[in-house]
Amino acid sequence: MTRQFRLLLLSLLFLSGFTGLCYEICWIRAAGRIFGATAFAVSSVVALFFAGMALGAHYFGNCVQRWKQPLRVYALLEIGIGTGAMLSLPLLTLLEQPYQLLYQAGFQNDSTLALTRLLLIGLIIIPPTFLMGGTLPLFTQFYDTAGKELGFLYALNSLGAAAGCLLCGFILLPMLGISSTLLLIGLMAQGTGLLLLYLLKYDPHSVAIPAAVTAFPDRSFNSTGQALLYPVIFGTGFCALSYEIIWTRFLSLITHNTVYTYTISLLVTLLGISAGSILARLHRPALRHPTALAAAYILNSLFVLLSLLLPTAAWDWAGSSESPVMVLLICLALMFIPALCSGLTFPLLFDLIRQARYSSGKRVGRLRAVNTAGCVAGSLLTGFILLPLLGMHATLLVTTGLCLLLGILVMLFFERGRPWRVRGLIACVSLAAWLCLISTTTVHLPQSYLAKGKKLVDYVEGKNSFISVVQKNGDLTMELDRLWQGKKGTGHQIMAAHLPMLLHPAAQEILVVGIGAGQAPSRFLYYDITRLDCVDIESSLPQVLKKHFQGSWLNDPRVSFIAEDGRTVARYGKRRYDLISVEVGQIFRPQASAFYTLEFYRNAREKLAQDGIIAQFLPVGFFNQDQLKSVIRTFLAVFPHSTLWYNQHAELLLIGSPDRDLAIRAEGVRVLKQNSRVRAELFFGYPGTEEHFLNLPEVLAASFLMGPKTLANISTDAPLLSNDRPVLEYGTARTTYAPQRFKKLFTEQYDSPRSIIKFTDPEAILPKSTRIQEYYLTNGFN
């Protein structure tokens, strides 16, 4: 094999890791786009991804000796992977039809729907990932028949994955979008395979190396050690994925979770694995010894436990920042050393099974299959059993305890070069250190972080986030992952219900997406409606609201709570509504921007009844001007009859309809005057205008900022937002909260309240409305 051909092969292995990781990132987003961003949907993609790779590694590892040219099979696998990537999105669109039929048949909360999700995603993900699982065993069989270079090959493949994570997560997705990125990596994988086939046909140096069966000296494992070998390999994968889930939860306690958080955490993990694999490649006896493997497990366990149970003040430097640079520093401090230890384990475990009389490819296949099966188990058991039943703190103890146990087992039963008393002493010292850490810490997860700087009244570890109830300024406040969602006392959030209802008082059936502390959805019940469907991704919210936030309104027979991603209901639900209210804030959160896209608005329009309207909450402080203009233009593209309203301190309401003009008409004024509950509750004014009560029609009209023509004028050149290209999610992750940036925009272009008043002679109330509107424009964006 020439040096040039060797370098080419190594480049192709790097590229294989690159395309595989890009495929995983794209598919996590693609599946969330159709099946929602619930923890179940995301975990299903990850678990199926690893399951396919485990099956592929096992199958091709067992079959590798049958092929005289394993590299030719490797090339064919790359072509198949590329084809699967290119066809995945069209297949998903085709196969979602049975899912929609089941959803509309009333299986929303049934296990049938969950199994259908798994089946549909699996039918698309498992074939290409099955082929991915066979690439490393085949490559190793050709390149390294003895398996001596496995650490280097594994490190190179992991570095390719890190490059894919960096390039896909930071550049390809925001610039090209999901569809184009999948097409690109599909073409890259196919090109890799075709190039290899060409070289194998025309390059005389690229001959296949026959599969070699190499015997290694027996390490004299006893029967217990032989029985424990594969359970240890399985446990290694279990701990690795369990740590990933725990780290993701922990990051939400010390920093704001954005689209960059997952990408950066995965990048740091892959870099650590690569560094560990390269370190294991060193031929020093101490690093090729079972003691080194045991030390990797023990240090991994103790470091993870120590870093997560440090006093909360140790993470003050993180400052709850969503800055990508700060997230990178946090992930390096938290994850790099454990990832490095994990990178050490794969090649060192391979050393333990090298005495088996198998070809190198078969050994690699078995090792990777069992290890990856452990990853699947770690993802599913930790996400759906350990965390919901035990909580984060106990799950951390279980996982680190298991990792520690793996190290002790390796020390006791695989290390034959040290006396029993020495091995026993090391095991006892390691266990004592673990027990000392858990018994002396004053930190309890997640309470210690949720209570930091405030009084924690209650908390719930939800499936997707931490729900906490804290006392602040004499009022109870609800937070999700430490982000404000609403308070117990009446606040401006109620206008998200009152304003659209007064614009469309005939509305009977209402859909609310995102219920927060219940301020807005509960106010819809003040009106003569027949149905109120409340959708939220966090299923634990109702119990928190009933306990702390006067949530008895949830017991009203008109109310139905749906624990689901709001996009899923808008896409697959069969019911039509007179009014849809979207209450999704903190736009920088992962996939929150999907509620501001063309696809979501089109799905929402299909769910509107004739003359129906939609109200979109706009937390403009989280946008810059270009982002806000894109949101407005995208909204107008689906709902051309749209209006913009002020709702205190740079929080606006965008209310629109596909087919009717919006105005304050006599019907709405009649409700405002005759509905005593509504009139009494709106007996307040925004700060600075407390004497201008919102139950007066002229004051209500003063909240009007822009009509359809002005909205179109300010957003004419803005790009439309789509799910495929998540530019808003990436952009808002880098945008600092600054509502004052909009003062000039809204003071230069706004509409008179005259155009929204259709219930009386505008001239009679226009002076007062105009004066109050000017106050909002001048002082409302500070």
Side-chain angles (χ1 to χ4, degrees), residues 24 28 42-43 45-51 154 234-249 262 266 269 273 300 342 371-383 386-387 395 399 402:
E24 180 183 358
I28 287 176
V42 175
S43 297
V45 172
V46 174
L48 289 169
F49 193 91
F50 280 107
Y154 187 59
F234 181 91
T236 304
F238 182 97
C239 291
L241 259 290
S242 185
Y243 283 157
E244 284 286 341
I245 295 173
I246 293 172
W247 280 330
T248 301
R249 285 264 176 158
Y262 173 77
L266 185 58
T269 300
I273 289 174
N300 197 342
S342 295
N371 182 262
T372 308
C375 292
V376 175
S379 174
L380 295 178
L381 291 178
T382 303
L386 294 179
L387 282 172
T395 300
T399 305
L402 175 60

Side-chain angles (χ1 to χ4, degrees), residues 475-478 483-500 512 514-524 545 549 581-586 617 647-648 651-653 681-682 684 686 694:
D475 200 356
L476 286 183
T477 299
M478 190 180 76
L483 294 171
W484 186 90
Q485 301 299 311
K487 60 182 182 179
K488 186 175 182 179
T490 301
H492 65 282
Q493 285 180 309
I494 62 173
M495 295 305 297
H498 288 303
L499 182 57
V512 177
I515 65 175
Q519 290 272 346
S522 63
R523 268 50 183 192
F524 284 108
L545 296 183
F549 292 91
S581 177
V582 185
E583 304 283 323
V584 179
Q586 281 100 30
F617 170 67
N647 189 35
Q648 185 183 354
E651 292 185 1
L652 308 183
L653 291 172
E681 184 163 77
L682 294 184
F684 80 96
Y686 293 127
L694 285 164

Side-chain angles (χ1 to χ4, degrees), residues 49-67 73 77 126 129-138 141 230 233-234 346 353 358-374 376:
F49 193 91
F50 280 107
M53 293 190 67
L55 293 171
H58 177 73
Y59 175 79
F60 288 101
N62 284 335
C63 297
V64 71
Q65 287 180 280
R66 303 177 189 174
W67 298 304
V73 181
L77 293 191
I126 287 183
T129 54
F130 176 81
L131 302 180
M132 289 179 193
T135 55
L136 188 60
L138 286 166
Q141 181 69 15
Y230 284 103
I233 297 172
F234 181 91
F346 192 86
I353 62 172
Y358 300 133
S359 68
S360 180
K362 187 170 185 177
R363 292 195 302 270
V364 171
R366 286 197 171 189
L367 173 59
R368 189 154 195 177
V370 176
N371 182 262
T372 308
V376 175

Side-chain angles (χ1 to χ4, degrees), residues 586-761:
Q586 281 100 30
I587 194 65
F588 57 81
R589 293 182 298 166
Q591 304 210 43
S593 65
F595 291 97
Y596 297 83
T597 62
L598 200 62
E599 292 86 351
F600 174 74
Y601 291 145
R602 286 172 176 169
N603 291 332
R605 182 184 60 190
E606 293 299 316
K607 298 301 174 291
L608 284 178
Q610 186 176 5
D611 292 335
I613 69 172
I614 180 172
Q616 172 86 68
F617 170 67
L618 285 184
V620 293
F622 295 110
F623 298 109
N624 62 33
Q625 288 200 24
D626 290 337
Q627 293 159 1
L628 179 62
K629 289 176 181 179
S630 285
V631 170
I632 291 173
R633 187 183 173 216
T634 306
F635 193 84
L636 281 172
V638 182
F639 305 105
H641 303 276
S642 295
T643 53
L644 187 67
W645 302 74
Y646 174 80
N647 189 35
Q648 185 183 354
H649 191 56
E651 292 185 1
L652 308 183
L653 291 172
L654 190 57
I655 304 176
S657 172
D659 49 24
R660 60 169 290 184
D661 292 325
L662 296 176
I664 303 176
R665 293 183 167 86
E667 297 86 348
V669 175
R670 191 177 304 113
V671 171
L672 192 60
K673 292 181 177 180
Q674 296 178 0
N675 189 320
S676 58
R677 294 185 72 187
V678 173
R679 185 169 181 80
E681 184 163 77
L682 294 184
F683 190 72
F684 80 96
Y686 293 127
T689 62
E690 286 84 354
E691 74 279 8
H692 298 136
F693 305 125
L694 285 164
N695 58 10
L696 297 175
E698 57 270 30
V699 177
L700 194 67
S703 302
F704 173 71
L705 297 180
M706 293 182 183
K709 291 183 179 180
T710 305
L711 289 173
N713 288 337
I714 68 170
S715 61
T716 301
D717 299 325
L720 295 172
L721 302 172
S722 70
N723 284 326
D724 188 70
R725 190 163 168 249
V727 292
L728 183 63
E729 187 171 353
Y730 279 86
T732 53
R734 301 188 302 269
T735 302
T736 56
Y737 185 83
Q740 62 272 15
R741 66 167 66 96
F742 293 99
K743 178 176 289 189
K744 183 177 180 181
L745 173 68
F746 290 122
T747 53
E748 289 182 350
Q749 299 189 63
Y750 62 94
D751 291 326
S752 167
R754 180 196 303 272
S755 59
I756 207 72
I757 299 171
K758 299 292 177 66
F759 58 90
T760 186
D761 179 11

